């Protein structure tokens, strides 16, 4: 697989629109989002789909889970910062979370 | 864990109401349902939650998967037929499938 | 992804050597293997790795599980029979099963 | 489920023997271990079994994963510190990791 290119300035400028629920990690060229679900079972369904996408993309998240909470940090070690792989994985994770997140969340 | 009791006649009579999407397997004291999802990833999210419930209940499904389809057969080997464990697992699976199944399904 | 080519006669002739634990399914151009593990948890670890490989290859098994048993059938619907994708997935599954299968199995 | 009791002093004294690969977290009544596997797929097989045990015990880890590394922290929020549930989950995780960890690790 080719080494992914870092995001261009134009692509970075569009991040808040493309990934409105993600924020930039302080001191790292990385983005983060915390998901909250009803319980561990729902969080695990989300992570199980995320694992499939990660393996498919050949691009793996830094993620932390306790019970119903999943904290995800994305960056691309091979290019030293954010790449289109991070955007692709973030979008996939958002898609997977949508039907599983509590309506009131 | 105590050996589960077989369903009583009264409990069996209520099955079509309690589990309307399940049907009786011909020639076995067992119930079955087939779930269809958008793709393998969604089917796998469903199965991943189902696996957690199965292990928690100490009661495991007979299940077949190909791509977006999951066929489940439930019976309780320890009591030679349907028990309340099958009803509990079927209800859990139905709950897990609901947000993941396509609206048009 | 390009449509995979059916296995050549030469590739088929080598199957018993490449995949010694698999057998041909009667009446279908498909191969099958049944894995037995110590319990559901171990079988599920195997299936969880298999799911990652399936999604990565874009090629999904027909698989049946009950408790500690996993029956896998592989064929490539897009080319109407066995292809190199089946060989790749079968080899991956065998690799995943090896450390998990009971020594005495 | 009854609220688990905190570990007694005698049980704490035995921890280094019972869980030799775990260490105490600084500033918390918690234990931690980091597992390293060959790749994400192997780490995920481990986590998938761990998820089953967590749900079965009704006791969930704080765990972080990136690629082949899984960092686990265990404590029992309901009793404000370590309980027998943490010991049970730690032992289960160690059992699951054993066949999956690289021989040279």
């Amino acid at each position: 697989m080719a080494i992914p290119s870092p995001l261009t300035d134009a692509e970075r400028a569009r991040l808040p629109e493309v990934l409105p629920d993600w924020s930039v990690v302080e001191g790292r060229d990385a983005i983060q989002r915390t998901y909250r679900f009803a319980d561990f079972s729902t969080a695990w369904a989300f992570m199980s789909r995320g694992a499939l996408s990660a393996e498919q993309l050949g691009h793996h998240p830094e993620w932390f889970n306790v019970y119903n909470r999943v904290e995800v940090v994305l960056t691309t070690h091979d290019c030293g910062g954010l790449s289109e792989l991070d955007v692709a994985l973030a979008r996939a994770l958002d898609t997977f979370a949508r039907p599983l997140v509590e309506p009131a969340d």
Side-chain angles (χ1 to χ4, degrees), chain A residues 36-39 41-49 93-103 105:
Chain A
R36 284 171 201 280
F37 302 94
D39 50 28
S41 166
T42 318
W44 189 251
F46 165 76
M47 292 182 74
S48 296
R49 292 193 74 178
L93 292 175
D94 282 358
T95 302
F96 300 158
R98 204 162 294 124
L100 295 172
V101 171
E102 303 267 49
D105 201 44

Side-chain angles (χ1 to χ4, degrees), chain A residues 47-87:
Chain A
M47 292 182 74
S48 296
R49 292 193 74 178
L52 295 181
S53 284
E55 196 75 345
Q56 193 176 33
L57 290 167
H59 184 59
H60 300 85
E62 304 173 20
W63 52 1
F64 171 85
N65 161 247
V66 57
Y67 195 57
N68 67 328
R69 199 168 84 234
V70 185
E71 300 173 10
V72 184
V73 172
L74 300 178
T75 191
T76 304
H77 298 96
D78 287 346
C79 76
L82 288 167
S83 78
E84 62 186 329
L85 286 176
D86 300 302
V87 177

